[in-house]
Amino acid sequence: MSKLPNISGRECVKALCKAGFYVKRQESSHIILRRDTPFAQTTVPDHKELDRGTLRGILRQIGMSVDEFVALLR
């Protein structure tokens, strides 16, 4: 199992867009992403650096493993 990287909110959004998500809307500093098939929705804070617990929670919400996410960052 890979270690969670230190990334920004924007980098997280770019990686999730590669996985089929799209930006539904943005409210203040929070970006709401959605995937239609299979349905999943999550909120990513637009911060310079995401806390590891926040990133882990996002991945848990969308049903993605850490290894799958790290592969999207490359």
Side-chain angles (χ1 to χ4, degrees), residues 45-74:
D46 188 14
H47 296 164
K48 288 183 181 179
E49 187 174 320
L50 292 178
D51 288 334
R52 290 194 179 162
T54 303
L55 183 55
R56 190 171 300 280
I58 290 168
L59 296 179
R60 192 178 307 121
Q61 256 186 339
I62 63 173
M64 185 179 287
S65 72
V66 174
D67 292 327
E68 292 170 333
F69 183 73
V70 169
L72 291 172
L73 290 173
R74 296 185 182 142

Side-chain angles (χ1 to χ4, degrees), residues 5 9 25 28 31 39-41 43 49 52 54 57:
R25 67 182 184 275
S28 185
I31 303 166
F39 180 79
Q41 184 167 309
T43 303
E49 187 174 320
R52 290 194 179 162
T54 303

